[in-house]
Amino acid sequence: MSLNKSEKQTVVADVSAQVARSQTLALAEYRGLTVEHLNVLRKQARDKGVYLHVLKNTLARRAVAGTPFEVASESMVGPLIYGFSEDAVAAAKVIADFAKGNDKLVIKGGAYAGKALNADGVKSLASVPSKEVLLAQLLGLMQSPVSRIARVLAAIAEKRAKAAPAAEAAPAAEAAPAAPARRRRRQARPRRGADHRRLSACAWRAAVDCGG
């Protein structure tokens, strides 16, 4: 069904708004797909935040004119479905993944970062992990060293806690036998003093006898 001028302007304005906030464009020929297949593809696109529509190529060219996606104009031939996404990978991934299970959807090309992509380029872009996956991987890498350090510190603290009672008990054990030795020395002194007094008394008596 052909569109009137007003409807064409509405379509161009809608696509232009999406183009302005998108990073990636993926194009695929949908000839041979059933309505049911298209509905499944559209649902997958919505779930991934991808703007996916069947567009007239003349209107699509008008919408991307003067934008980084203009480089894909040469691929805009035949019955095409257009996928735009703010995420750098999402549009390419939705179309490439669906095409793997349905050969009626044929990837034609696309654009990313101002560069035109052929079919292989779209597939390569689709194989790049999504932003969410990359962030999860990065977070895992950042947490891994921290976790290892935490485990090492915990092990050190545990060893110190086990060693502390043994260290406190050792000086007490060494000091315990010293007490009897001091008591023996104190008890020995009176005996030495008594012996000395007895010797002195004997010497005094001897002196008296000699003098007498």
Side-chain angles (χ1 to χ4, degrees):
M1 185 178 67
S2 61
L3 303 176
N4 60 40
K5 183 177 180 180
S6 177
E7 290 171 335
K8 291 178 181 179
Q9 289 174 343
T10 300
V11 170
V12 171
D14 183 44
V15 176
S16 295
Q18 186 61 45
V19 166
R21 56 176 176 267
S22 295
Q23 290 193 70
T24 301
L25 164 64
L27 309 171
E29 187 175 293
Y30 64 92
R31 185 184 285 117
L33 285 181
T34 65
V35 174
E36 183 180 356
H37 289 151
L38 285 172
N39 288 337
V40 171
L41 178 56
R42 288 189 177 106
K43 183 181 183 305
Q44 292 176 356
R46 283 195 302 271
D47 292 343
K48 298 297 183 180
V50 176
Y51 176 96
L52 189 76
H53 284 278
V54 172
L55 299 172
K56 286 185 175 294
N57 297 324
T58 54
L59 299 181
R61 291 193 195 96
R62 194 182 305 173
V64 302
T67 75
F69 298 116
E70 189 173 10
V71 295
S73 295
E74 292 184 2
S75 298
M76 297 177 183
V77 178
L80 299 179
I81 192 164
Y82 289 73
F84 291 93
S85 66
E86 297 180 38
D87 181 88
V89 177
K93 188 169 183 61
V94 165
I95 289 179
D97 285 353
F98 190 87
K100 289 177 182 178
N102 195 317
D103 60 3
K104 300 298 183 183
L105 187 71
V106 180
I107 300 171
K108 301 299 289 185
Y112 172 69
K115 295 182 180 180
L117 302 175
N118 58 18
D120 289 335
V122 172
K123 293 175 184 177
S124 296
L125 183 60
S127 67
V128 176
S130 66
K131 180 175 68 176
E132 290 75 14
V133 173
L134 289 174
L135 288 175
Q137 292 175 348
L138 178 60
L139 183 60
L141 290 173
M142 292 173 63
Q143 288 180 337
S144 181
V146 175
S147 299
R148 287 197 294 270
I149 292 173
R151 288 195 294 270
V152 170
L153 292 177
I156 293 174
E158 184 178 358
K159 288 181 180 179
R160 288 181 176 177
K162 291 180 180 178
E168 292 175 357
E174 293 175 358
R182 287 197 294 270
R183 286 196 295 271
R184 285 196 297 270
R185 285 197 295 272
R186 292 194 191 98
Q187 293 170 0
R189 288 171 186 168
R191 288 197 295 270
R192 288 198 299 270
D195 293 341
H196 179 73
R197 284 194 296 273
R198 284 195 294 269
L199 289 172
S200 297
C202 291
W204 181 78
R205 290 191 188 99
V208 170
D209 292 340
C210 289

